[in-house]
Amino acid sequence: MQSRPRTTRRSARARSAAIAEMRPLRLAETAPSGEDGDLVGPPAPQYRDLPVLPLRNSVLLPNMVVPLYVDREAALNAVQAAMDGEQLIFIVAQRSEEIEDPTYQEVYHVGTEALITRLLRMPDGSSSALVQGLRRVRVERWLQHTPYGRIRGIALDDADETGERIEALTRTALRLFEGVTKLSQRLAEDAYIQALNISHPGALADYLVAQLEPPIAIRQEILETVDISARMRMACQLLRRELSVLELEHKIHDEVQQEAEKGQREYFLREQLRAIHRELGERDPSHHETEELRARIEARGLSPEAHARALKELERLQGMPPMSPESAVVSNYLDWLASLPWRERSADRLDLRAVAEVLDRRHFGLEKVKDRILEYIAVRKLAPDGRTPILCLAGPPGVGKTSLGRSIAEALGRQFVRISLGGVRDEAEIRGHRRTYVGALPGRIIQGMKTAGTVNPVFVLDEIDKLASDYRGDPAAALLEVLDPEQNSTFSDHFLEVPYDLSRVMFVVTANVLDTIPAPLRDRMEVIEISGYTEEEKLRIARDFLVPRQVRDCGLSEARVEIDDGALRRVIREYTYEAGVRGLEREIGGVMRRVARRVAEGRRHKATVTAAKVPAYLGPQKHFPSEAEERDEIGVATGLAWTAGGGDLTTVEVMAVPGRGTLTLTGQLGDVMRESAQAALTFIRSRACRLGLPDGFHESRDLHIHLPAGAIPKDGPSAGITMAAAMISALAEKPLRRDVALTGEITLRGRVLPVGGVKEKALAAYRAGIGTIILPRRNLKDLDELPEDVRERLLFVPVETMDDVLPVALVPSRLGAGEVSPPASGSARRSPARPPLPPIETVPPATRVARQARARRAQVVAQ
């Protein structure tokens, strides 16, 4: 063991000054010196030979003064060895406090050199020592283990770091510590003053961490951190977390105390107020509240059942203590009864011309809905007490169903209420909650009636097809009582518990599809289907409604921007794909926002948006409409489909290859389409001879039916004759006409049954440049819904069996002898030569695909 350097009188004075100033002790201050005070020889070595005092559950940081209780034999020996020398000892934390006699592997490698300032020996042999941390020491090697530990370590002194970063960290730490001392009940009041008097940032960081008393692992990490900046950052993080916890604790304490004080204060004030009223001979305010409720109930004109129930609840309320929870429930119930309309009604506007003018001003087209509203007004004019209809507007998104309900209310002069039913799965949303707890409320129907303030508003139930159900009940079943004219005159809400008359409400229900609406609920409604708009209708809607509204919403005027019809047509064809006009309005809004930005940037000239400038505002073409095939092909038929966005073309591809008669269907086909393919194949086998197919073809040929766009699920019966025609074409090796589209359901006997969505499908064929449509004869009645210009440009061929389909669908030049003949003249609805589509202003093509699409459309029109 090496001898330790002797400490001079000057080094002792320096150590005492360092303890008083709470700054780290420098090795230079303990070096031997000459008589003149100058350093003699090289600085003292950095190595320190010290006895070891392990701590169970504590970490001593430099400059900290703490009392220690020493009772272990090795620790007592280490303390005695330190007292026999310079009273310096190495204090280090154990890795586990459960170890009684730790070895060098069971203590940390960094500890604190400490000075024992006072030692008291107890009668039981233990000792109590008061130690002052001096500096960090890292263990270099262990010199001995018995009878006490002794190490040789390297002193880790703090450097004199200065600069803006250290200054900023110091200020941040002091500011956070100030907030902690103000909120903490554990820290002394002068802790912050002591922190202000510490000049060295490293000593300040150690002091702040020691005051917070974080877990041992964090304190040991602080002890092992020599870099002052890193140590200050860690101290700031601990202070910030402690401050957040203290603020939250203080907030919770204040809230609890305020609630308790508020309750006590209200109780005493109410008791004092009652005593004052008794002395003055005045009525109690609680009785005044009940009298006010009684007056409101009498003035509202409740039904006999509701009036009797209200008076009964008033008597209960008067006998309850004002502070009881039941009193709040009853008071809320009576307030609802007094707030609902029981007799108030708005006068209907029965002028048919005025109503028609309002509807035409707010909406373009929608003739069926407008006629039905005018019929209702006519009936109300002749029979004021007639039954109110339940209208269901069904159609794709964006066609104006919800806004039409608002227009109906404006036309009739009634209040308008809208409720969205999408995603509602709790029956209580319709019937209300029972009054078994504080906060119970009526259902949305009664809430809407309170909002309307009249007994005859226009009530729009939006998205009824998106109702759900679970263990909380079936909202669709609850709506049966609301929408049934025979029951809604005595509608019972769970909250009200008295009948409420809904028979004078005009309910308008909206839905995208009817399949998801339960049949009993659909039976209560009068369904009016709103199909998609044609291009001409979209153009007029955009010009008359959408553009003015977007110009107004963007803060522009007609003097600032102008968009011509060619630009609107291009936006409709190349930037939107929908049955309605919601996406079209979004794209027009995008154009107007770009114009508004340019105006805001200081451009003063008027912006004229033409078809050529549309890509500059909206970017590249977003949608490429479905086009007819480029040439007649074998096994490729063009079908028509109905989607949520309107009609669309569906190409059916069939390939016949040698095999064992397997039928393969791909393209995410639903069960109905798979059954249609099976029925079509059976029909073909039964007509093999007449169709010119070899006997036993089904045993030697495999058929693969594929519908492109495999990521999109497809289902429905309307592709039956399309798949049958494609299979016959593939088996007979006869091409199908590319300018003919087919739709219709097929049976095993080859009959063609009617399908739905004829208007949307015809519009899709019209947009794609298809010239001929084969459809079931029983669907001819649906052609009356088509615009006149569309009917004039399409040829409709009504069919009843597949024998009528093949002569039209197959290329005539390939028909052989013995095949069925084309239908007799006059059986098809023929029209004059189809005029071209309204042109878009001639512009340079945006892409090669767009140029080819226009060329194909022109080719089809020419044929």
Side-chain angles (χ1 to χ4, degrees), residues 313-348:
E313 295 295 331
L314 267 176
E315 294 178 359
R316 290 184 57 208
L317 181 62
Q318 290 176 348
M320 293 180 183
M323 298 299 294
S324 69
E326 184 68 16
S327 174
V329 174
V330 175
S331 178
N332 183 42
Y333 173 71
L334 293 174
D335 181 72
W336 271 99
L337 286 180
S339 300
L340 286 174
W342 296 89
R343 295 181 180 179
E344 297 81 1
R345 59 186 305 169
S346 56
D348 286 340

Side-chain angles (χ1 to χ4, degrees), residues 815-826:
L815 288 175
E819 296 181 0
V820 292
S821 59
S825 61

Side-chain angles (χ1 to χ4, degrees), residues 86 112 336 405 481:
E86 300 176 352
T112 304
W336 271 99
E481 184 181 4

Side-chain angles (χ1 to χ4, degrees), residues 546-657:
L546 304 183
V547 171
R549 181 162 57 195
Q550 289 299 322
V551 168
R552 182 178 61 256
D553 292 346
C554 293
L556 301 172
S557 63
E558 296 181 358
R560 289 287 190 179
V561 61
E562 178 184 357
I563 180 169
D564 61 15
D565 291 353
L568 292 176
R569 289 185 187 277
R570 187 167 188 181
V571 172
I572 293 170
R573 295 179 187 176
E574 300 181 2
Y575 291 86
T576 61
Y577 175 67
E578 57 178 348
V581 293
R582 185 172 296 155
L584 176 60
E585 184 173 10
R586 264 195 305 269
E587 299 297 335
I588 294 174
V591 174
M592 296 304 167
R593 287 191 297 272
R594 293 291 297 273
V595 174
R597 176 182 174 182
R598 296 180 181 181
V599 172
E601 290 174 350
R603 298 192 181 185
R604 298 182 179 180
H605 61 275
K606 181 178 181 179
T608 302
V609 183
T610 62
K613 297 179 181 179
V614 169
Y617 288 93
L618 299 179
Q621 181 177 351
K622 298 179 181 179
H623 169 66
F624 297 91
S626 302
E627 301 286 345
E629 295 294 327
E630 296 183 359
R631 61 181 181 275
D632 302 335
E633 294 188 39
I634 296 175
V636 179
T638 302
L640 297 174
W642 181 91
T643 65
D648 197 6
L649 298 187
T650 300
T651 301
V652 178
E653 301 175 350
V654 177
M655 187 70 69
V657 296

Side-chain angles (χ1 to χ4, degrees), residues 424-433 442-445 447 475:
V424 173
R425 59 180 65 248
D426 190 355
E427 181 185 354
E429 294 285 338
I430 306 300
R431 291 188 180 275
H433 303 261
R444 292 193 180 187
I445 304 299
Q447 293 180 31

